[in-house]
Short mmCIF file of all heavy atoms in Angstrom, two decimals:
data_model
loop_
_atom_site.label_atom_id
_atom_site.label_comp_id
_atom_site.label_asym_id
_atom_site.label_seq_id
_atom_site.Cartn_x
_atom_site.Cartn_y
_atom_site.Cartn_z
N ALA U 36 0.34 -54.41 -61.09
CA ALA U 36 0.25 -53.11 -60.41
C ALA U 36 -0.36 -53.32 -59.03
O ALA U 36 -1.45 -53.87 -58.90
CB ALA U 36 -0.58 -52.15 -61.20
N VAL U 37 0.38 -52.93 -58.05
CA VAL U 37 -0.09 -53.06 -56.67
C VAL U 37 -0.69 -51.72 -56.26
O VAL U 37 -0.06 -50.68 -56.42
CB VAL U 37 1.10 -53.43 -55.73
CG1 VAL U 37 0.66 -53.51 -54.29
CG2 VAL U 37 1.74 -54.70 -56.20
N PRO U 38 -1.91 -51.73 -55.75
CA PRO U 38 -2.51 -50.46 -55.34
C PRO U 38 -1.76 -49.89 -54.14
O PRO U 38 -1.37 -50.61 -53.24
CB PRO U 38 -3.95 -50.82 -54.98
CG PRO U 38 -3.97 -52.28 -54.76
CD PRO U 38 -2.82 -52.87 -55.53
N ARG U 39 -1.56 -48.62 -54.19
CA ARG U 39 -0.83 -47.95 -53.10
C ARG U 39 -1.82 -47.33 -52.11
O ARG U 39 -2.74 -46.63 -52.50
CB ARG U 39 0.05 -46.86 -53.68
CG ARG U 39 1.15 -47.43 -54.54
CD ARG U 39 1.98 -46.42 -55.23
NE ARG U 39 2.54 -45.43 -54.30
CZ ARG U 39 3.17 -44.32 -54.67
NH1 ARG U 39 3.34 -44.07 -55.94
NH2 ARG U 39 3.63 -43.50 -53.80
N PHE U 40 -1.60 -47.64 -50.89
CA PHE U 40 -2.43 -47.07 -49.82
C PHE U 40 -1.56 -46.15 -48.98
O PHE U 40 -0.35 -46.31 -48.91
CB PHE U 40 -3.01 -48.18 -48.93
CG PHE U 40 -3.95 -49.08 -49.67
CD1 PHE U 40 -3.55 -50.34 -50.09
CD2 PHE U 40 -5.23 -48.66 -49.97
CE1 PHE U 40 -4.40 -51.17 -50.77
CE2 PHE U 40 -6.09 -49.49 -50.66
CZ PHE U 40 -5.68 -50.75 -51.05
N GLY U 41 -2.16 -45.22 -48.27
CA GLY U 41 -1.41 -44.33 -47.39
C GLY U 41 -1.61 -42.88 -47.77
O GLY U 41 -2.38 -42.53 -48.67
N LEU U 42 -0.85 -42.05 -47.12
CA LEU U 42 -1.00 -40.60 -47.31
C LEU U 42 -0.37 -40.12 -48.60
O LEU U 42 -0.78 -39.10 -49.15
CB LEU U 42 -0.37 -39.86 -46.12
CG LEU U 42 -1.07 -40.03 -44.77
CD1 LEU U 42 -0.30 -39.30 -43.70
CD2 LEU U 42 -2.49 -39.55 -44.83
N ALA U 43 0.60 -40.85 -49.10
CA ALA U 43 1.27 -40.43 -50.33
C ALA U 43 0.30 -40.44 -51.50
O ALA U 43 0.40 -39.63 -52.41
CB ALA U 43 2.46 -41.34 -50.62
N ARG U 44 -0.65 -41.31 -51.48
CA ARG U 44 -1.62 -41.41 -52.55
C ARG U 44 -2.57 -40.21 -52.56
O ARG U 44 -3.05 -39.80 -53.62
CB ARG U 44 -2.40 -42.71 -52.39
CG ARG U 44 -3.37 -42.96 -53.45
CD ARG U 44 -4.06 -44.28 -53.25
NE ARG U 44 -5.39 -44.13 -53.79
CZ ARG U 44 -6.46 -44.73 -53.37
NH1 ARG U 44 -6.38 -45.54 -52.35
NH2 ARG U 44 -7.62 -44.54 -53.93
N LEU U 45 -2.84 -39.61 -51.37
CA LEU U 45 -3.81 -38.52 -51.28
C LEU U 45 -3.23 -37.18 -51.72
O LEU U 45 -3.95 -36.26 -52.05
CB LEU U 45 -4.33 -38.40 -49.85
CG LEU U 45 -5.11 -39.61 -49.33
CD1 LEU U 45 -5.45 -39.42 -47.87
CD2 LEU U 45 -6.36 -39.83 -50.15
N GLY U 46 -1.94 -37.00 -51.65
CA GLY U 46 -1.32 -35.75 -52.06
C GLY U 46 -0.82 -34.97 -50.85
O GLY U 46 -0.81 -35.44 -49.72
N ARG U 47 -0.42 -33.75 -51.10
CA ARG U 47 0.18 -32.92 -50.05
C ARG U 47 -0.85 -32.26 -49.12
O ARG U 47 -0.57 -32.04 -47.96
CB ARG U 47 1.01 -31.81 -50.70
CG ARG U 47 2.29 -32.30 -51.23
CD ARG U 47 3.32 -32.05 -50.15
NE ARG U 47 4.65 -32.26 -50.67
CZ ARG U 47 5.52 -33.05 -50.10
NH1 ARG U 47 5.21 -33.71 -49.02
NH2 ARG U 47 6.72 -33.19 -50.60
N ALA U 48 -1.99 -31.86 -49.59
CA ALA U 48 -2.97 -31.12 -48.80
C ALA U 48 -3.40 -31.88 -47.54
O ALA U 48 -3.40 -31.30 -46.45
CB ALA U 48 -4.17 -30.75 -49.65
N PRO U 49 -3.76 -33.15 -47.61
CA PRO U 49 -4.14 -33.85 -46.38
C PRO U 49 -2.98 -33.99 -45.40
O PRO U 49 -3.17 -33.96 -44.20
CB PRO U 49 -4.60 -35.21 -46.87
CG PRO U 49 -4.98 -35.02 -48.28
CD PRO U 49 -4.08 -33.94 -48.79
N GLN U 50 -1.76 -34.09 -45.92
CA GLN U 50 -0.61 -34.19 -45.03
C GLN U 50 -0.42 -32.88 -44.26
O GLN U 50 -0.13 -32.89 -43.07
CB GLN U 50 0.66 -34.50 -45.85
CG GLN U 50 0.67 -35.90 -46.41
CD GLN U 50 1.91 -36.14 -47.27
OE1 GLN U 50 2.72 -35.24 -47.48
NE2 GLN U 50 2.03 -37.36 -47.78
N ILE U 51 -0.60 -31.75 -44.95
CA ILE U 51 -0.48 -30.45 -44.29
C ILE U 51 -1.58 -30.27 -43.25
O ILE U 51 -1.34 -29.81 -42.13
CB ILE U 51 -0.49 -29.32 -45.33
CG1 ILE U 51 0.76 -29.40 -46.20
CG2 ILE U 51 -0.61 -27.96 -44.66
CD1 ILE U 51 0.77 -28.44 -47.36
N VAL U 52 -2.79 -30.68 -43.59
CA VAL U 52 -3.92 -30.57 -42.65
C VAL U 52 -3.66 -31.44 -41.43
O VAL U 52 -3.89 -31.02 -40.29
CB VAL U 52 -5.24 -30.95 -43.35
CG1 VAL U 52 -6.37 -31.09 -42.34
CG2 VAL U 52 -5.60 -29.91 -44.40
N ALA U 53 -3.19 -32.67 -41.64
CA ALA U 53 -2.90 -33.56 -40.52
C ALA U 53 -1.80 -32.97 -39.63
O ALA U 53 -1.89 -33.00 -38.39
CB ALA U 53 -2.49 -34.94 -41.03
N PHE U 54 -0.77 -32.39 -40.24
CA PHE U 54 0.31 -31.78 -39.47
C PHE U 54 -0.21 -30.61 -38.64
O PHE U 54 0.14 -30.45 -37.47
CB PHE U 54 1.43 -31.32 -40.42
CG PHE U 54 2.53 -30.59 -39.73
CD1 PHE U 54 3.45 -31.27 -38.95
CD2 PHE U 54 2.64 -29.21 -39.85
CE1 PHE U 54 4.46 -30.59 -38.30
CE2 PHE U 54 3.65 -28.53 -39.21
CZ PHE U 54 4.56 -29.22 -38.43
N LEU U 55 -1.06 -29.76 -39.24
CA LEU U 55 -1.61 -28.62 -38.53
C LEU U 55 -2.51 -29.06 -37.38
O LEU U 55 -2.53 -28.44 -36.31
CB LEU U 55 -2.36 -27.70 -39.48
CG LEU U 55 -1.49 -26.94 -40.50
CD1 LEU U 55 -2.37 -26.14 -41.45
CD2 LEU U 55 -0.50 -26.04 -39.78
N LEU U 56 -3.27 -30.15 -37.59
CA LEU U 56 -4.12 -30.66 -36.51
C LEU U 56 -3.28 -31.17 -35.34
O LEU U 56 -3.60 -30.91 -34.17
CB LEU U 56 -5.04 -31.77 -37.03
CG LEU U 56 -6.20 -31.32 -37.91
CD1 LEU U 56 -6.96 -32.52 -38.45
CD2 LEU U 56 -7.15 -30.43 -37.12
N VAL U 57 -2.21 -31.86 -35.63
CA VAL U 57 -1.32 -32.35 -34.57
C VAL U 57 -0.68 -31.18 -33.85
O VAL U 57 -0.58 -31.15 -32.62
CB VAL U 57 -0.26 -33.32 -35.14
CG1 VAL U 57 0.82 -33.62 -34.13
CG2 VAL U 57 -0.92 -34.60 -35.62
N LEU U 58 -0.27 -30.17 -34.60
CA LEU U 58 0.34 -28.98 -34.01
C LEU U 58 -0.67 -28.25 -33.11
O LEU U 58 -0.33 -27.79 -32.01
CB LEU U 58 0.85 -28.06 -35.13
CG LEU U 58 1.77 -26.94 -34.71
CD1 LEU U 58 3.05 -27.50 -34.12
CD2 LEU U 58 2.10 -26.07 -35.92
N ALA U 59 -1.92 -28.13 -33.55
CA ALA U 59 -2.96 -27.48 -32.76
C ALA U 59 -3.24 -28.28 -31.48
O ALA U 59 -3.45 -27.70 -30.40
CB ALA U 59 -4.23 -27.32 -33.58
N LEU U 60 -3.23 -29.60 -31.58
CA LEU U 60 -3.46 -30.44 -30.41
C LEU U 60 -2.34 -30.25 -29.39
O LEU U 60 -2.60 -30.11 -28.20
CB LEU U 60 -3.54 -31.91 -30.84
CG LEU U 60 -3.76 -32.92 -29.72
CD1 LEU U 60 -5.10 -32.68 -29.06
CD2 LEU U 60 -3.66 -34.33 -30.25
N LEU U 61 -1.10 -30.21 -29.85
CA LEU U 61 0.02 -29.99 -28.95
C LEU U 61 -0.05 -28.59 -28.31
O LEU U 61 0.23 -28.42 -27.13
CB LEU U 61 1.35 -30.17 -29.69
CG LEU U 61 1.69 -31.60 -30.11
CD1 LEU U 61 2.98 -31.61 -30.92
CD2 LEU U 61 1.81 -32.49 -28.89
N GLY U 62 -0.44 -27.59 -29.09
CA GLY U 62 -0.59 -26.24 -28.56
C GLY U 62 -1.69 -26.16 -27.51
O GLY U 62 -1.54 -25.51 -26.48
N GLY U 63 -2.80 -26.87 -27.77
CA GLY U 63 -3.90 -26.90 -26.81
C GLY U 63 -3.51 -27.57 -25.51
O GLY U 63 -3.94 -27.17 -24.42
N MET U 64 -2.68 -28.59 -25.62
CA MET U 64 -2.23 -29.29 -24.43
C MET U 64 -1.24 -28.43 -23.62
O MET U 64 -1.10 -28.63 -22.42
CB MET U 64 -1.58 -30.63 -24.81
CG MET U 64 -2.60 -31.65 -25.32
SD MET U 64 -1.90 -33.15 -26.02
CE MET U 64 -0.63 -33.61 -24.90
N ALA U 65 -0.57 -27.50 -24.24
CA ALA U 65 0.41 -26.67 -23.56
C ALA U 65 -0.21 -25.45 -22.88
O ALA U 65 0.44 -24.79 -22.08
CB ALA U 65 1.48 -26.21 -24.55
N ILE U 66 -1.48 -25.15 -23.15
CA ILE U 66 -2.12 -23.96 -22.59
C ILE U 66 -2.25 -24.05 -21.07
O ILE U 66 -1.88 -23.13 -20.35
CB ILE U 66 -3.49 -23.70 -23.25
CG1 ILE U 66 -3.27 -23.24 -24.68
CG2 ILE U 66 -4.30 -22.67 -22.47
CD1 ILE U 66 -4.54 -23.09 -25.47
N GLU U 67 -2.78 -25.14 -20.56
CA GLU U 67 -3.02 -25.27 -19.12
C GLU U 67 -1.73 -25.24 -18.30
O GLU U 67 -1.65 -24.51 -17.31
CB GLU U 67 -3.81 -26.56 -18.83
CG GLU U 67 -4.16 -26.75 -17.37
CD GLU U 67 -5.07 -25.66 -16.83
OE1 GLU U 67 -5.77 -25.01 -17.59
OE2 GLU U 67 -5.03 -25.46 -15.60
N PRO U 68 -0.68 -25.98 -18.67
CA PRO U 68 0.56 -25.87 -17.90
C PRO U 68 1.16 -24.45 -17.94
O PRO U 68 1.71 -23.98 -16.94
CB PRO U 68 1.50 -26.87 -18.56
CG PRO U 68 0.62 -27.85 -19.22
CD PRO U 68 -0.60 -27.08 -19.63
N THR U 69 1.01 -23.78 -19.06
CA THR U 69 1.53 -22.41 -19.16
C THR U 69 0.75 -21.49 -18.24
O THR U 69 1.33 -20.65 -17.54
CB THR U 69 1.45 -21.91 -20.61
OG1 THR U 69 2.16 -22.82 -21.45
CG2 THR U 69 2.02 -20.52 -20.75
N ARG U 70 -0.56 -21.65 -18.19
CA ARG U 70 -1.40 -20.84 -17.31
C ARG U 70 -1.04 -21.09 -15.84
O ARG U 70 -0.93 -20.17 -15.04
CB ARG U 70 -2.87 -21.14 -17.54
CG ARG U 70 -3.83 -20.20 -16.83
CD ARG U 70 -5.26 -20.62 -17.00
NE ARG U 70 -5.55 -21.90 -16.43
CZ ARG U 70 -5.71 -22.15 -15.11
NH1 ARG U 70 -5.61 -21.17 -14.26
NH2 ARG U 70 -5.98 -23.36 -14.67
N GLN U 71 -0.82 -22.36 -15.50
CA GLN U 71 -0.43 -22.69 -14.13
C GLN U 71 0.93 -22.09 -13.78
O GLN U 71 1.14 -21.61 -12.66
CB GLN U 71 -0.40 -24.20 -13.93
CG GLN U 71 -1.76 -24.84 -13.92
CD GLN U 71 -1.69 -26.36 -13.82
OE1 GLN U 71 -0.62 -26.94 -13.87
NE2 GLN U 71 -2.84 -27.00 -13.67
N LEU U 72 1.85 -22.11 -14.71
CA LEU U 72 3.18 -21.55 -14.49
C LEU U 72 3.09 -20.04 -14.21
O LEU U 72 3.71 -19.53 -13.28
CB LEU U 72 4.09 -21.81 -15.68
CG LEU U 72 5.49 -21.21 -15.61
CD1 LEU U 72 6.29 -21.88 -14.51
CD2 LEU U 72 6.19 -21.34 -16.95
N LEU U 73 2.27 -19.34 -15.00
CA LEU U 73 2.11 -17.91 -14.79
C LEU U 73 1.44 -17.62 -13.44
O LEU U 73 1.82 -16.67 -12.74
CB LEU U 73 1.31 -17.29 -15.93
CG LEU U 73 2.01 -17.32 -17.30
CD1 LEU U 73 1.07 -16.80 -18.38
CD2 LEU U 73 3.29 -16.52 -17.27
N ALA U 74 0.46 -18.43 -13.06
CA ALA U 74 -0.20 -18.24 -11.76
C ALA U 74 0.78 -18.48 -10.62
O ALA U 74 0.78 -17.76 -9.61
CB ALA U 74 -1.40 -19.18 -11.64
N GLN U 75 1.64 -19.49 -10.78
CA GLN U 75 2.63 -19.77 -9.74
C GLN U 75 3.64 -18.63 -9.63
O GLN U 75 4.08 -18.28 -8.53
CB GLN U 75 3.35 -21.09 -10.04
CG GLN U 75 2.48 -22.30 -9.78
CD GLN U 75 3.17 -23.60 -10.19
OE1 GLN U 75 4.24 -23.59 -10.78
NE2 GLN U 75 2.53 -24.71 -9.87
N ARG U 76 4.03 -18.03 -10.74
CA ARG U 76 4.96 -16.90 -10.69
C ARG U 76 4.35 -15.72 -9.95
O ARG U 76 5.00 -15.07 -9.13
CB ARG U 76 5.36 -16.47 -12.10
CG ARG U 76 6.36 -17.38 -12.74
CD ARG U 76 6.77 -16.83 -14.08
NE ARG U 76 7.71 -17.73 -14.75
CZ ARG U 76 8.12 -17.60 -15.98
NH1 ARG U 76 7.67 -16.60 -16.71
NH2 ARG U 76 8.96 -18.45 -16.51
N ASP U 77 3.06 -15.45 -10.20
CA ASP U 77 2.37 -14.37 -9.49
C ASP U 77 2.31 -14.67 -8.00
O ASP U 77 2.52 -13.79 -7.16
CB ASP U 77 0.96 -14.17 -10.04
CG ASP U 77 0.96 -13.59 -11.44
OD1 ASP U 77 1.99 -13.03 -11.85
OD2 ASP U 77 -0.08 -13.72 -12.12
N ARG U 78 2.02 -15.91 -7.67
CA ARG U 78 1.93 -16.31 -6.26
C ARG U 78 3.29 -16.19 -5.58
O ARG U 78 3.38 -15.73 -4.44
CB ARG U 78 1.41 -17.74 -6.18
CG ARG U 78 1.10 -18.21 -4.81
CD ARG U 78 0.38 -19.53 -4.84
NE ARG U 78 0.36 -20.10 -3.51
CZ ARG U 78 0.51 -21.37 -3.24
NH1 ARG U 78 0.66 -22.23 -4.21
NH2 ARG U 78 0.47 -21.80 -2.00
N ILE U 79 4.34 -16.56 -6.27
CA ILE U 79 5.69 -16.47 -5.71
C ILE U 79 6.06 -15.02 -5.45
O ILE U 79 6.63 -14.68 -4.40
CB ILE U 79 6.71 -17.17 -6.63
CG1 ILE U 79 6.54 -18.68 -6.56
CG2 ILE U 79 8.13 -16.77 -6.27
CD1 ILE U 79 7.34 -19.44 -7.58
N SER U 80 5.74 -14.13 -6.38
CA SER U 80 6.08 -12.72 -6.18
C SER U 80 5.29 -12.14 -5.02
O SER U 80 5.82 -11.34 -4.24
CB SER U 80 5.84 -11.92 -7.46
OG SER U 80 4.47 -11.89 -7.77
N GLY U 81 4.02 -12.53 -4.86
CA GLY U 81 3.23 -12.08 -3.71
C GLY U 81 3.79 -12.58 -2.40
O GLY U 81 3.88 -11.86 -1.41
N MET U 82 4.20 -13.84 -2.39
CA MET U 82 4.77 -14.42 -1.17
C MET U 82 6.12 -13.80 -0.84
O MET U 82 6.48 -13.65 0.33
CB MET U 82 4.90 -15.93 -1.31
CG MET U 82 3.56 -16.64 -1.37
SD MET U 82 3.77 -18.38 -1.68
CE MET U 82 3.19 -19.03 -0.13
N ALA U 83 6.88 -13.40 -1.86
CA ALA U 83 8.16 -12.74 -1.62
C ALA U 83 7.92 -11.39 -0.94
O ALA U 83 8.67 -11.00 -0.03
CB ALA U 83 8.92 -12.56 -2.93
N GLY U 84 6.89 -10.67 -1.35
CA GLY U 84 6.54 -9.41 -0.69
C GLY U 84 6.14 -9.63 0.76
O GLY U 84 6.52 -8.87 1.65
N GLU U 85 5.35 -10.69 1.01
CA GLU U 85 4.97 -11.01 2.38
C GLU U 85 6.19 -11.36 3.21
O GLU U 85 6.28 -11.00 4.40
CB GLU U 85 3.97 -12.16 2.40
CG GLU U 85 2.61 -11.81 1.83
CD GLU U 85 1.68 -13.03 1.76
OE1 GLU U 85 2.03 -14.07 2.35
OE2 GLU U 85 0.63 -12.92 1.14
N LEU U 86 7.13 -12.07 2.61
CA LEU U 86 8.37 -12.44 3.32
C LEU U 86 9.16 -11.20 3.70
O LEU U 86 9.67 -11.09 4.83
CB LEU U 86 9.21 -13.38 2.46
CG LEU U 86 10.57 -13.79 3.04
CD1 LEU U 86 10.39 -14.58 4.32
CD2 LEU U 86 11.36 -14.59 2.03
N ARG U 87 9.27 -10.24 2.77
CA ARG U 87 10.00 -9.01 3.09
C ARG U 87 9.32 -8.25 4.22
O ARG U 87 9.98 -7.71 5.11
CB ARG U 87 10.12 -8.14 1.84
CG ARG U 87 11.15 -8.62 0.84
CD ARG U 87 11.39 -7.59 -0.24
NE ARG U 87 10.21 -7.34 -1.07
CZ ARG U 87 9.86 -8.07 -2.13
NH1 ARG U 87 10.61 -9.09 -2.49
NH2 ARG U 87 8.78 -7.77 -2.82
N ALA U 88 7.98 -8.22 4.21
CA ALA U 88 7.25 -7.54 5.29
C ALA U 88 7.47 -8.24 6.62
O ALA U 88 7.66 -7.58 7.65
CB ALA U 88 5.76 -7.48 4.95
N ALA U 89 7.47 -9.56 6.62
CA ALA U 89 7.70 -10.31 7.86
C ALA U 89 9.13 -10.10 8.36
O ALA U 89 9.35 -9.97 9.57
CB ALA U 89 7.43 -11.80 7.63
N GLN U 90 10.08 -10.03 7.46
CA GLN U 90 11.47 -9.79 7.87
C GLN U 90 11.62 -8.40 8.47
O GLN U 90 12.34 -8.22 9.46
CB GLN U 90 12.42 -9.97 6.68
CG GLN U 90 12.60 -11.42 6.28
CD GLN U 90 13.39 -11.58 4.99
OE1 GLN U 90 13.49 -10.65 4.20
NE2 GLN U 90 13.92 -12.78 4.78
N ALA U 91 10.94 -7.41 7.90
CA ALA U 91 10.99 -6.05 8.46
C ALA U 91 10.35 -6.02 9.84
O ALA U 91 10.87 -5.38 10.77
CB ALA U 91 10.30 -5.07 7.52
N ALA U 92 9.23 -6.73 10.01
CA ALA U 92 8.57 -6.79 11.32
C ALA U 92 9.48 -7.48 12.34
O ALA U 92 9.58 -7.04 13.49
CB ALA U 92 7.23 -7.51 11.21
N ASN U 93 10.15 -8.53 11.91
CA ASN U 93 11.09 -9.22 12.80
C ASN U 93 12.22 -8.31 13.22
O ASN U 93 12.64 -8.31 14.38
CB ASN U 93 11.65 -10.48 12.13
CG ASN U 93 10.66 -11.62 12.14
OD1 ASN U 93 9.69 -11.60 12.89
ND2 ASN U 93 10.91 -12.62 11.31
N ALA U 94 12.73 -7.51 12.30
CA ALA U 94 13.82 -6.58 12.63
C ALA U 94 13.34 -5.55 13.65
O ALA U 94 14.07 -5.22 14.60
CB ALA U 94 14.33 -5.89 11.37
N ARG U 95 12.11 -5.03 13.47
CA ARG U 95 11.56 -4.08 14.44
C ARG U 95 11.41 -4.72 15.82
O ARG U 95 11.73 -4.13 16.84
CB ARG U 95 10.21 -3.54 13.96
CG ARG U 95 10.31 -2.52 12.87
CD ARG U 95 8.99 -1.81 12.62
NE ARG U 95 7.87 -2.71 12.39
CZ ARG U 95 7.50 -3.19 11.21
NH1 ARG U 95 8.18 -2.84 10.12
NH2 ARG U 95 6.47 -3.99 11.09
N LEU U 96 10.93 -5.96 15.85
CA LEU U 96 10.75 -6.65 17.12
C LEU U 96 12.09 -6.95 17.78
O LEU U 96 12.21 -6.88 19.01
CB LEU U 96 9.93 -7.93 16.91
CG LEU U 96 8.47 -7.70 16.53
CD1 LEU U 96 7.80 -9.03 16.19
CD2 LEU U 96 7.72 -7.01 17.65
N GLU U 97 13.09 -7.29 17.00
CA GLU U 97 14.42 -7.54 17.55
C GLU U 97 14.97 -6.26 18.19
O GLU U 97 15.57 -6.30 19.26
CB GLU U 97 15.38 -8.02 16.46
CG GLU U 97 15.09 -9.41 15.93
CD GLU U 97 15.47 -10.52 16.91
OE1 GLU U 97 16.31 -10.28 17.79
OE2 GLU U 97 14.92 -11.62 16.77
N ALA U 98 14.75 -5.12 17.54
CA ALA U 98 15.20 -3.84 18.10
C ALA U 98 14.46 -3.54 19.39
O ALA U 98 15.05 -3.05 20.36
CB ALA U 98 14.99 -2.73 17.09
N GLN U 99 13.17 -3.85 19.44
CA GLN U 99 12.39 -3.61 20.65
C GLN U 99 12.87 -4.52 21.78
O GLN U 99 12.96 -4.09 22.93
CB GLN U 99 10.90 -3.83 20.38
CG GLN U 99 10.02 -3.47 21.55
CD GLN U 99 8.56 -3.59 21.24
OE1 GLN U 99 8.17 -3.98 20.15
NE2 GLN U 99 7.72 -3.27 22.20
N ILE U 100 13.21 -5.76 21.47
CA ILE U 100 13.74 -6.68 22.48
C ILE U 100 15.05 -6.14 23.04
O ILE U 100 15.28 -6.16 24.26
CB ILE U 100 13.93 -8.10 21.88
CG1 ILE U 100 12.57 -8.75 21.65
CG2 ILE U 100 14.79 -8.96 22.77
CD1 ILE U 100 12.63 -10.04 20.86
N ALA U 101 15.89 -5.63 22.15
CA ALA U 101 17.17 -5.06 22.60
C ALA U 101 16.93 -3.86 23.51
O ALA U 101 17.63 -3.68 24.52
CB ALA U 101 18.02 -4.67 21.40
N ARG U 102 15.94 -3.01 23.18
CA ARG U 102 15.63 -1.86 24.04
C ARG U 102 15.10 -2.30 25.39
O ARG U 102 15.40 -1.70 26.42
CB ARG U 102 14.61 -0.95 23.35
CG ARG U 102 15.20 -0.05 22.32
CD ARG U 102 14.23 1.05 21.91
NE ARG U 102 12.87 0.61 21.71
CZ ARG U 102 12.31 0.36 20.52
NH1 ARG U 102 13.01 0.53 19.43
NH2 ARG U 102 11.07 -0.03 20.42
#
Side-chain angles (χ1 to χ4, degrees):
V37 177
R39 294 175 53 189
F40 296 103
L42 293 177
R44 182 178 149 211
L45 296 175
R47 284 265 191 233
Q50 290 177 357
I51 293 173
V52 169
F54 176 74
L55 291 176
L56 286 175
V57 169
L58 193 63
L60 179 64
L61 291 176
M64 290 171 44
I66 289 174
E67 183 62 24
T69 303
R70 189 185 62 78
Q71 289 176 353
L72 177 67
L73 294 175
Q75 287 175 353
R76 283 184 182 172
D77 291 342
R78 188 170 167 219
I79 288 171
S80 66
M82 292 175 114
E85 291 175 11
L86 177 64
R87 284 190 296 275
Q90 287 172 339
N93 283 344
R95 284 192 307 272
L96 291 173
E97 291 286 338
Q99 186 176 2
I100 288 171
R102 280 194 316 261

